[in-house]
Amino acid sequence: MSRVKNVFSKGKAFIAFITAGDPNLETTEKLIPAMSQAGADLIEIGIPFSDPIAEGVVIQNASERALAAGATTDKIFDMLERVRKKTSVPLAFMTYVNPVFVYGVERFMKRAAACGIDAMVVPDLPFEEKEELLSSCQARGIDLISLIAPTSKHRISMIAAGAEGFVYCVSSLGVTGVRSRITTDIAEMVALVKAARDIPCAIGFGISTPEQARTMAGYADGVIVGSAIVKIAEQYGVECVGPISAYVRQMKAAIE
Amino acid sequence: MKKGRFGNYGGQYIPETLMNAVLELEEAYEYYRKDEHFQLELDELMKNYAGRPSILYYAQKMTRDLGGAKIYLKREDLNHTGSHKINNVLGQALLAKKMGKTRVIAETGAGQHGVATATAAALMDLECEIFMGREDTQRQALNVFRMELLGAKVNVVESGTQTLKDAVNETMREWTSRMDDTYYVLGSVMGPHPYPTIVRDFQKMIGKEIKEQLQAVEHRLPDAVIACVGGGSNAIGAFYEFIDDPTVQLIGCEAAGLGVDNPKNAATLANGSVGIFHGMKSYFCQDEFGQIAPVYSISAGLDYPGIGPEHAMLADTGRAQYVPVTDLEAVEAFEYLSRTEGIIPAIESAHAVAYACRLAPKMAGDKIIVINISGRGDKDVAAIARYRGVKIDE
Ligand SMILES: Cc1ncc(COP(=O)(O)O)c(C=O)c1O
């Protein structure tokens, strides 16, 4: 059974994203327990991909830095095995379908389960193609997270009906990145999900400030923050653990 | 076969944000594909704007010189804007118009697809933005200016390897941010379903014409049809009509750059493996962890790490063969065709010419080869001069 159900059991969830291996894997290894301590309820670990088409420049650059520093899927698994001895925080992988497919879906999920991965977020695997990973995920108790977007409209009920863990609500059109304003009718999106299925909803894309997090948390069960954290990693490099922990603490406090 | 699949290949591996846009496209295409008015309008554009049908030219001097099979050249280089790209673009731009879109976006490598898209946009009063890798804007500088002359905005892509694959990434990102008024004119038989089918349908007249034209003069089918393969649109266009004619050999020529054993190549079927990227399952040049490889070819139009899903299927079943051709072989063929027939081919098409030069002498004199000359070489003259170390004032 995945730990994802625990994520939403203690009030609004704060979900934090980092790119594994940015600036290096030793730093990621320290960041995960530190972010958990600071209040992150679920940590999304990005496996860097050469061509992240759903990503804005901040996470694109982080992927490039991580790959240039030598991060590979195997080294990320090794790092997570060590991390799992220190923390039981729920963990998700965020990656594109190709790194999983080429590694071998079964082989990938076996290792992912062994290091305690609870969920998979794969932005280029829409509902129509999820069979690619679904049975292997299910066999290992890993939730394959469904995404819905502002354009999903009548697709929402179909997607929600088959969702596992939680539904990732993409707040805005376009790619990931910090946004000053989120204009989508998030309340309606969430209502459409809930009408189809009683499942937690977390909102991601564009959230960076405590005020935005508080507003978004008002509409849903959790918020997901990526680019804003990755920017701190970019700014502080190997010294980022302190500043990121402080940021996570502030964001978690804002939604409580 | 599952919807949008070619055997195992194809599919719709795209962000949820784009799903409705792609489904809307699929629905519109299914409708207009069977709409008589749409087809009449398109035929008219092909005839009176693009200049179709393109000539099937008997290359007598080349045939004599190589001393084997008879060689015919399918002259897509004579189309308006100088390549086969216009066939697909006129079809898609017309479709965009019918769908009520007011803005088109497209990626380009060599600049030929960008020029064709900018041209169709000018003709049909569509706003147009092109995405092109920085490296390609440098080696195809003339085409950047052509697109601007035609009223398009050219966005220089600085991410990744700054070539065609990155231009596709950036166009997809742009589409994700704006799809209500914007149509993505994909330039090859790649990307998510329904693009590989749409682009193939808009290119398949190449093979149809070859069949009719050859029938008229030779009263028979060709023995081999040869085309270069980047994403594979000119090749599938030339091949499609012959897939059910088993005596016709179908040969796709991939860019081997500095050689298939050198990392600097773009020979996807020679070196790649099955993966999922740019919306499709197909073959890609990539490493053991599924990171897409930085590929290389002298030809910006073939400098792509993947191949369309229908080609992946044709390669697996053996119905078509795919062969690597190096930069040097392509440059020599570029020069050879210029000298021998007075036809300067695109450096992309020169890859097909190079393989034909290898194959023809091994075939009997009563055999027939058709080479698809997908484009003209004016855009490449400066690059070839650079390759040969000739200094010219551009
Ligand atoms: C003249 C020409 N031929 C071939 C290609 C390769 O594309 P495809 O494989 O889709 O025909 C290009 C692409 O830019 C081109 O400009």
Side-chain angles (χ1 to χ4, degrees):
Chain A
M1 199 53 190
S2 97
R3 299 177 187 84
V4 172
K5 62 176 185 337
N6 306 335
V7 173
F8 301 91
S9 63
K10 313 169 292 247
K12 305 284 181 179
F14 183 71
I15 300 175
F17 170 89
I18 49 167
T19 299
D22 170 36
N24 56 39
L25 285 165
E26 294 76 66
T27 306
T28 309
E29 190 173 339
K30 289 183 227 155
L31 261 175
I32 295 170
M35 289 196 299
S36 165
Q37 284 257 302
D41 298 295
L42 170 72
I43 296 171
E44 256 191 73
I45 299 155
I47 299 178
F49 180 49
S50 54
D51 295 84
I53 56 147
E55 246 62 70
V57 282
V58 171
I59 296 177
Q60 280 177 45
N61 290 342
S63 305
E64 264 184 44
R65 286 195 298 273
L67 290 171
T72 65
T73 311
D74 275 336
K75 289 183 190 165
I76 292 167
F77 281 135
D78 293 344
M79 179 269 298
L80 287 175
E81 273 171 9
R82 295 191 296 273
V83 165
R84 263 294 174 235
K85 296 190 180 118
K86 296 179 224 160
T87 174
S88 60
V89 65
L91 295 175
F93 268 142
M94 196 319 290
T95 191
Y96 289 78
V97 64
N98 201 46
V100 181
F101 178 79
V102 171
Y103 196 89
V105 177
E106 268 297 310
R107 182 171 162 241
F108 184 100
M109 295 309 163
K110 191 174 165 197
R111 275 217 77 180
C115 38
I117 289 291
D118 303 291
M120 293 288 301
V121 179
V122 186
D124 59 347
L125 196 73
F127 179 84
E128 279 75 358
E129 302 292 355
K130 70 178 186 177
E131 283 308 318
E132 203 69 60
L133 305 185
L134 190 62
S135 56
S136 297
C137 282
Q138 283 176 337
R140 310 265 170 205
I142 295 173
D143 290 332
L144 182 58
I145 302 303
S146 297
L147 290 92
I148 60 166
T151 48
S152 296
K153 310 222 158 78
H154 64 272
R155 294 170 52 79
I156 291 179
S157 57
M158 163 184 90
I159 294 169
E164 300 176 328
F166 67 96
V167 171
Y168 188 134
C169 304
V170 174
S171 75
S172 310
L173 295 181
V175 292
T176 55
V178 170
R179 285 173 174 77
S180 53
R181 257 160 47 87
I182 291 168
T183 54
T184 308
D185 188 346
I186 305 289
E188 188 193 274
M189 256 173 115
V190 172
L192 286 170
V193 174
K194 303 276 185 185
R197 176 93 183 280
D198 183 21
I199 186 167
C201 290
I203 302 173
F205 274 46
I207 301 169
S208 64
T209 65
E211 295 70 42
Q212 280 176 322
R214 192 177 304 121
T215 311
M216 290 298 143
Y219 299 127
D221 306 293
V223 298
I224 306 166
V225 173
S227 296
I229 294 174
V230 172
K231 265 190 166 174
I232 303 174
E234 178 174 8
Q235 187 183 348
Y236 291 92
V238 293
E239 308 294 327
C240 69
V241 180
I244 288 179
S245 301
Y247 175 79
V248 169
R249 205 167 291 121
Q250 184 193 10
M251 294 294 275
K252 176 68 183 174
I255 62 172
E256 267 177 338
Chain B
M1 226 187 291
K2 251 176 86 181
K3 186 189 77 170
R5 292 275 170 172
F6 303 92
N8 264 330
Y9 305 108
Q12 292 179 313
Y13 301 88
I14 50 170
E16 169 61 23
T17 308
L18 286 175
M19 275 308 296
N20 264 329
V22 162
L23 294 172
E24 178 196 1
L25 172 62
E26 187 179 348
E27 199 178 307
Y29 180 64
E30 275 310 306
Y31 177 82
Y32 287 108
R33 194 168 68 85
K34 297 176 213 131
D35 181 61
E36 211 173 304
H37 290 290
F38 180 86
Q39 293 301 340
L40 282 174
E41 241 178 289
L42 188 56
D43 284 350
E44 177 67 19
L45 282 168
M46 288 300 165
K47 215 186 285 170
N48 292 319
Y49 190 72
R52 302 209 70 87
S54 68
I55 293 169
L56 185 70
Y57 167 75
Y58 172 43
Q60 193 173 12
K61 283 185 70 194
M62 192 176 165
T63 300
R64 217 183 297 139
D65 182 59
L66 294 173
K70 256 178 133 169
I71 295 172
Y72 282 85
L73 307 179
K74 179 60 172 167
R75 300 289 308 276
E76 292 297 304
D77 58 313
L78 295 178
N79 297 340
H80 180 44
T81 70
S83 81
H84 71 292
K85 298 285 182 187
I86 195 76
N87 306 330
N88 166 43
V89 161
L90 287 174
Q92 287 200 56
L94 192 61
L95 186 59
K97 210 59 194 170
K98 300 283 177 202
M99 290 171 72
K101 305 289 175 183
T102 55
R103 176 172 176 264
V104 289
I105 54 173
E107 83 294 345
T108 198
Q112 292 303 98
H113 176 60
V115 166
T117 305
T119 298
L123 179 71
M124 299 187 201
D125 287 317
L126 292 158
E127 192 190 331
C128 177
E129 281 192 44
I130 303 296
F131 293 80
M132 188 172 188
R134 169 161 306 282
E135 179 165 333
D136 293 337
T137 60
Q138 286 159 358
R139 53 181 168 175
Q140 301 288 348
L142 199 59
N143 270 343
V144 176
F145 190 62
R146 280 170 86 194
M147 289 183 266
E148 287 167 352
L149 266 180
L150 292 159
K153 177 169 176 230
V154 179
N155 297 291
V156 179
V157 176
E158 311 271 1
S159 59
T161 55
Q162 307 189 338
T163 58
L164 182 54
K165 126 184 121 72
D166 311 285
V168 174
N169 292 345
E170 219 47 53
T171 318
M172 283 198 178
R173 289 182 184 125
E174 171 65 20
W175 201 29
T176 311
S177 72
R178 185 169 164 187
M179 60 219 98
D180 51 346
D181 67 345
T182 299
Y183 181 105
Y184 181 4
V185 183
L186 240 164
S188 193
V189 282
M190 44 155 298
H193 172 71
Y195 282 108
T197 300
I198 293 182
V199 179
R200 180 250 281 150
D201 287 354
F202 287 145
Q203 292 290 2
K204 68 185 179 192
M205 82 278 269
I206 300 174
K208 251 193 161 118
E209 289 174 12
I210 293 173
K211 196 178 239 181
E212 286 167 16
Q213 290 165 324
L214 200 67
Q215 194 63 39
V217 288
E218 298 279 358
H219 315 293
R220 68 193 218 46
L221 291 169
D223 297 287
V225 177
I226 305 180
C228 67
V229 181
S233 68
N234 89 90
I236 208 77
F239 295 172
Y240 194 65
E241 180 70 21
F242 298 105
I243 288 178
D244 295 328
D245 297 314
T247 61
V248 183
Q249 250 191 296
L250 305 174
I251 305 167
C253 303
E254 300 191 305
L258 302 186
V260 286
D261 301 324
N262 188 303
K264 297 195 80 151
N265 78 80
T268 306
L269 287 169
N271 279 340
S273 56
V274 178
I276 301 172
F277 182 49
H278 280 167
M280 59 182 171
K281 186 180 282 185
S282 189
Y283 284 86
F284 297 95
C285 297
Q286 56 188 340
D287 72 10
E288 60 182 307
F289 295 112
Q291 305 292 345
I292 303 301
V295 291
Y296 163 82
S297 162
I298 188 173
S299 146
L302 304 184
D303 199 353
Y304 181 70
I307 188 167
E310 195 162 11
H311 286 292
M313 180 184 74
L314 293 175
D316 275 9
T317 61
R319 179 60 194 97
Q321 289 161 259
Y322 297 83
V323 296
V325 173
T326 64
D327 279 3
L328 180 60
E329 292 171 291
V331 170
E332 284 172 348
F334 180 93
E335 294 164 339
Y336 175 81
L337 194 67
S338 303
R339 243 180 8 247
T340 311
E341 294 287 350
I343 295 169
I344 304 178
I347 188 65
E348 288 79 17
S349 326
H351 285 71
V353 176
Y355 188 73
C357 291
R358 250 192 270 163
L359 185 65
K362 294 186 226 153
M363 291 170 72
D366 61 346
K367 300 287 185 192
I368 296 171
I369 292 176
V370 177
I371 312 171
N372 195 31
I373 306 296
S374 56
R376 68 175 182 230
D378 310 46
K379 68 181 175 58
D380 302 307
V381 170
I384 301 300
R386 272 198 299 277
Y387 184 85
R388 289 304 194 189
V390 178
K391 283 208 162 51
I392 49 168
D393 195 11
E394 279 184 53

